[in-house]
Amino acid sequence: MITGDPTKPLIVQSDRSLLLDVHNPEADAARVDISPFTELEKSPEHMHTYRLTPLSIWNAASAGWNENRIEKALSKWSRFPVPENVSYEIGDLISRFGKISLHETDEDLVLFLKVDDPNLRSELYSSRKIVKLLDHTDGGFLINLIDRGHIKQELMNIGYPVRDEAPLVKGDPLEFNLREMTLGGYPFHLRDYQEEAARIFHGNGNPGSGFGTVVLPCGSGKTIIGMAIMKLLATNTLILSTNVAAVHQWIDELLDKTTLTREEIGEYSGTRKEIKPVTIGTYQVLTWRPDKEAAFPHFSIFRKRNWGLIIYDEVHLLPAPVFRITAEIQAVRRLGLTATLIREDGKEGEVFSLVGPKRYDVPWKELEAKGWIAEAYCHEIRVDLAESLQVKYAIAAKRHKHRIASENPLKIPIAKQLTENHREDAILVIGQYLNQLKEIADTLKAPLITGKTPNQKREDLYQAFREGRERILVVSKVANFAIDLPDASVAIQVSGTFGSRQEEAQRLGRILRPKKRNSYFYSLVTRYTVEELFAANRQKFLTEQGYKYYIESWNEQSNY
Amino acid sequence: MNSLDTWRKIILTLPDHAFFRIVRNYLGTIRTPFHKPSLIQDLIVFLRKRDTIEQIFRRIDEADAQILTAIQVIPSPVPEKLAFVLNLPFLKIHHYLLNLEERLLIYTDPQSGILFINPLYEEELKDRVFALQLLFPSEPFLEEPPGDSPWLTSSLLIAVLSLLFACPEVSSGGTKFKKKVASLWEKRIPLLFKEEKSGKNNDLKVINRSERLLRTLEILGLVIWEDTFCRPVLSGWTKLSECPDREIPLRLWGAWAVSSINGPLSGNGKDTSLKTAHLFASLLHPFLEIVPEGRVFSRQSLITLLKALSPSQNPLDSESCSNLLNALTELSVLLPVQNERSPAKLQEIFSLREKSYKRYFRKSEKSLVASFCSEGLVLSRWFSGLKEAGSEREGVLQPNFEVALMPWTPLRKGVFIALVADLFKFDLYPHFELNRSSCFRTFDEGYDTEGILKALEELTGNPPPQNIRFSIGHWEGEYKSVQLNAGIVLSVSDNRRPFLEHSKEFQPWIKQHLAKGVYLLDPADIHNWSKALADAGIDPLPKVHGLVYTTAISIGENTSDHTDIPETPSFTPLSLKKLNISGLKTNYILPPPSNIEDLFNTLKGLSLPDDQRKELKARIQRKIILFPEQITAGQVVHEKIEARGLDYSGKVRLIDEALASGHDLLELEFRGADGDKTSFLIKPTTLEKEGTNRILHGTRFPEGNDGTYKVRKLTAVRKLHISLYYP
């Protein structure tokens, strides 16, 4: 009888997924070995799922991995023999890397797409999507620089990665250093995983490096990684983020932790239009246009300076119009930062082919175990729908049911009870519906921050929260993205959009920054309504990140 | 009893005529008066001498060795079985067996007809003669074995069951899959959709194995078809899971082998298929134990093995065996391989001098090589299944509601998971997902939260996470909040209600008390509650509104005839026949040369009458003369047992003698119109005169059909014993 070796932690399945038994003593060592050529799909409590994807294998190939090395790593850790079809597919995929490569020419705006295999050349030339972009020449094709990203994307789609050896523009230089002591008076140094992420992205400047995405949990210091990369590249940098608060956060961090001066940093937002060696703007401004047919006037920001690096903060939210311009600026180094791979519109592939493949990630629980992010406890509290709303809910159209369930007034006393249970904690109450949030804010006698709150007032309240002068903040969707509240240790989610996993991750991220106390994430859900179904999606996501998820029923006698 | 005593007892059972013939042959003249026990003792001394043993064994050629091995290996071997297994004409086998009897290598139990190896020589035969290669030739497969593993396993079954539970409506008519369902199955269990080359141009075509798999399950009684629905029979799955783990795949494979016809099974077709499936499964158990890993067998070799294993009362013919091998190949239990060997290498491995191997392959040496190389089958090295050494865990339940099963998860536990969770993806570790609808169908089967949690804990070794415990409990609450019941609703007005409330006879028949004066009753018990109602003064009963009466339902009629509940299949234990191969070596070794040439020379040098010379020569050829001392004039009694050609009276005399003995057989030889000779055995019943002709009536042996033969047409007649051990 063929027996498996229980001392080995990995199970390789025939669909190219890899199951890692985390209770096995060798699990960590195996993870280190397989990470370069796999993608982490999910990491619930007992078994983590990795996957060999074309992208992950090509990634590895671009970093110098070959078929034998991958096979060796798999065989070393695999509990059972590696399925033959998997070995074959690895070989097949790896063999495609390098068949097409991109090189510079004497002309600045033209690149050479080298394709040695004549059959492959014919295949490419017969592709309707790119044929117009290809100009036959010896050994391959000439392409316009502006089509670089588009062609790479299309070739990836038909199964041929491009080894991009065309040099990226250096950009205008900008030298600076990271401080050893922040302006705030605290010692500062990079954490091991931050250094590693920056180093992997930079790749010593070799061809095929300098573009990609770093995926790390909220609170793990992605901004720091961005800064580390900026320092390594020492070049003019354009940073795009989700909102003005996030922009200000970047500015504050840059000033606090680097030797950059305020004069070297520009803000490009609704209120200011500064172009400096480091410029931080919002996606919102970028994608503004006077009407649907007009051009995007602020796209010119990409050409205002000789940028050497573009950072897309929260890259999973990259708006669709920005894809197009991203395709055109493939000659510039670009870094995507995010906590979640998932886009609800399913366009992750486009993001990763235009911004770059995932270069680095770490399971959340691993960072938690090392103390880099806080340990979080997730609770879902279910409450009955108020009797007064039952008939209204029953007869409501499907699209309105969610709102009725979400705005269940019986959630308010629960929220109040929870804030009383956490008297020592800084608390965020997060929701979607402004009326409900207003009522909660009034009940808790806490300030409310919404999209309409003026930026300055918002900043003041954040500051007050940081300093402990405000213990509770009630916030709308604005809190989802990129605001830095290091001392929040409790989040109470009273409502959310339809099961958005991305949103769940962002909200959890609000309380994950390391602190002295544990963090608590409460989600209030109305029982026997559509809210339960959507809550199930969110629950799935969090458990797949490795968080334990407790569900309780609220009744009058509930003791919290 | 030791072998010596056994042999002594056996030789005593020899009829006198045979006994004395043997003693005279081996020991020479018998002096009178004689003492039979002393003669036996002398015979034993002779047979146990080293020289005697040596000469006996040196005369055992490959054909002898093959038959001796067959007798040793096949349980309760009778001549008909040997002929069937070795694919030899019965007549040929009969001659061989008579010869082996007179050479004292075997004997026959006259009561049962079963053949036995002489216990005096059994150990030495094991050391020097018996070889599995003689019956089931194979050669080592030195290449890296193919990675394919049997795909129809308990693990796959669990996955299929889950899909059927979740979506039993699989067909759009008949048993053909709906396109959408086929896509879903392909996504969840890609293994069931195999690419194969077919057609003139060897085009790649995707073969959907799901349809045939459902038929396999139907044969085993595990699913029933209701129009376009293929519904699992849960009780059947429970029964199957009670079978020993090792047997379950065998039952599946046996049923797969039978599953090639289209259309739903019904009536006798169903019974026959199940019986055949059971037979196949019974054969597969010892078959797979005997076929070792790492050796290539020809199809013929494996067919011989299957025939050896098949029951005597219902033997498998070559075609059925071939179908079973095809099924095993489809299932990747046996894998076709190329096993290139040079002719020189093959010579080294097999002795190509003997015809016995050519019987398995082709007639010429060249094609022998070619056919063996191209038709090899090797046992899949995975066939025993996978097991993680020292592991007790059979499943993993994750907080995201995913359940991963191990490849060795027992079917019993897997059936539960198939019910309580939906298949996500089938693979080495199949993944399932617990959800609301899957839990609802589990509640439908009578489980509650506690039962589900207990089963999950038993599977994983850990209590389920809190969020799962809570969710299942919550779903149970939802499930119970709405009820559907089938039955007859009785409603009585307030003024008559007290009669029922106080009726002890009526109370037991209330299925559910729905409201005041409203009761749910079971139509099957109509006889009983009708009577109870009548006793309570509610009589006659009104008609049941909305019920279509196909037969009159009246008080006194028992209508408890449930025809809509599928019958629970039963899985009778596999009758596991084994071949006696313990201790047998694989390879055959040619014996050193005997002294037969010397004996012929000795005979040449003697001055003897022709008939005696002829008889002695025949005895040397029959290998019953071992030493020159046995070639003694005057000891030879030539018994005429054959008449041929124009010797009409000789033929008649032999026929009369056979009729008189009551036991002897006649070998009749004819020459057909094309000039070819045909021979067969009969047991003569009568010899009649018809004019100048003699007409012989007899029964073909062993077939049993009656026949009539004109003596004049016979080319030759030979008188033979059934066995030396028959009176």
Side-chain angles (χ1 to χ4, degrees), chain B residues 156-424:
Chain B
L156 179 86
L157 220 54
I158 293 164
V160 167
L161 180 59
S162 181
L163 285 179
L164 289 175
F165 275 135
C167 178
E169 192 177 8
V170 297
S171 112
S172 47
T175 54
K176 195 130 179 71
F177 266 54
K178 275 203 272 205
K179 214 170 168 182
K180 205 171 159 186
V181 171
S183 292
L184 175 72
W185 279 51
E186 190 173 7
K187 197 173 158 192
R188 299 267 187 261
I189 317 180
L191 187 67
L192 282 177
F193 295 78
K194 190 187 169 199
E195 272 186 347
E196 263 178 19
K197 287 187 182 162
S198 71
K200 265 192 255 177
N201 304 323
N202 264 343
D203 297 323
L204 273 179
K205 196 182 158 188
V206 174
I207 309 291
N208 179 357
R209 304 197 267 207
S210 329
E211 287 165 6
R212 191 160 161 197
L213 179 58
L214 291 187
R215 166 157 291 282
T216 301
L217 300 181
E218 191 187 8
I219 288 169
L220 292 171
L222 298 176
V223 299
I224 49 165
W225 282 93
E226 290 172 357
D227 197 20
T228 55
F229 286 75
C230 182
R231 296 198 193 276
V233 178
L234 190 53
S235 55
W237 289 85
T238 308
K239 278 270 176 197
L240 180 65
S241 65
E242 288 166 6
C243 297
D245 283 344
R246 177 100 173 97
E247 276 183 25
I248 294 171
L250 304 183
R251 291 180 185 273
L252 295 173
W253 298 342
W256 174 272
V258 176
S259 66
S260 47
I261 46 170
N262 293 319
L265 293 169
S266 63
N268 284 339
K270 196 170 173 180
D271 288 339
T272 308
S273 295
L274 183 60
K275 278 195 184 115
T276 311
H278 184 89
L279 171 63
F280 281 160
S282 296
L283 289 179
L284 285 176
H285 189 279
F287 176 81
L288 294 171
E289 281 197 339
I290 290 167
V291 174
E293 288 182 26
R295 291 195 74 90
V296 182
F297 289 77
S298 69
R299 284 184 73 86
Q300 186 56 51
S301 186
L302 293 176
I303 287 171
T304 304
L305 176 54
L306 285 170
K307 282 165 122 180
L309 288 167
S310 64
S312 304
Q313 63 274 26
N314 190 15
L316 241 53
D317 60 19
S318 294
E319 193 188 336
S320 302
C321 293
S322 193
N323 287 340
L324 183 52
L325 290 182
N326 289 341
L328 293 176
T329 310
E330 287 162 358
L331 294 165
S332 299
V333 175
L334 292 173
L335 305 171
V337 291
Q338 289 296 321
N339 200 28
E340 293 293 330
R341 289 288 181 270
S342 65
K345 185 66 180 168
L346 267 180
Q347 282 228 349
E348 189 189 315
I349 293 167
F350 293 117
S351 162
L352 294 177
R353 292 176 298 132
E354 295 297 324
K355 287 180 194 170
S356 51
Y357 290 105
K358 292 180 184 174
R359 186 167 51 245
Y360 290 108
F361 308 114
R362 300 278 191 273
K363 296 231 162 59
S364 73
E365 197 173 295
K366 261 194 207 161
S367 50
L368 174 81
V369 170
S371 62
F372 187 80
C373 286
S374 65
E375 290 179 5
L377 290 169
V378 69
L379 187 66
S380 162
R381 69 195 179 112
W382 290 68
F383 95 98
S384 306
L386 299 167
K387 175 74 181 173
E388 200 172 276
S391 171
E392 299 296 326
R393 198 170 56 165
E394 290 161 339
V396 175
L397 173 62
Q398 307 249 56
N400 65 343
F401 293 83
E402 273 186 19
V403 181
L405 291 185
M406 311 300 153
W408 55 83
T409 304
L411 185 62
R412 175 178 65 83
K413 293 184 182 173
V415 167
F416 173 74
I417 293 298
L419 179 63
V420 81
D422 286 340
L423 177 71
F424 184 73

Side-chain angles (χ1 to χ4, degrees), chain A residues 1-6 11-17 19 21 23 42 44-49 79-81 84 382 527-528 532-533 539-540 543-544 547 549-553, chain B residues 145-148 293 381-382 384-389 393 396-402 404 406-408 424-425 427-431 433 462 465-467 470-471 474 477-478:
Chain A
M1 183 182 274
I2 301 290
T3 55
D5 184 350
I11 295 110
V12 182
Q13 308 252 68
S14 63
D15 65 347
R16 284 194 257 126
S17 64
L19 306 177
D21 180 356
H23 300 296
K42 48 191 167 188
E45 193 177 340
H46 302 292
M47 268 184 177
H48 293 183
T49 303
R79 200 170 282 182
F80 299 99
E84 276 185 4
R382 295 203 185 163
R527 194 166 26 207
Y528 302 124
E532 265 186 9
L533 297 174
Q539 178 192 168
K540 193 169 158 64
T543 52
E544 284 177 2
Y547 288 99
Y549 201 89
Y550 298 93
I551 311 177
E552 293 138 298
S553 286
Chain B
D148 297 52
E293 288 182 26
R381 69 195 179 112
W382 290 68
S384 306
L386 299 167
K387 175 74 181 173
E388 200 172 276
R393 198 170 56 165
V396 175
L397 173 62
Q398 307 249 56
N400 65 343
F401 293 83
E402 273 186 19
M406 311 300 153
W408 55 83
F424 184 73
K425 186 78 181 286
D427 212 306
L428 182 61
Y429 280 43
H431 274 68
E433 191 180 70
N462 293 310
Q466 190 275 344
N467 64 315
F470 182 94
S471 298
H474 178 70
E478 263 197 88

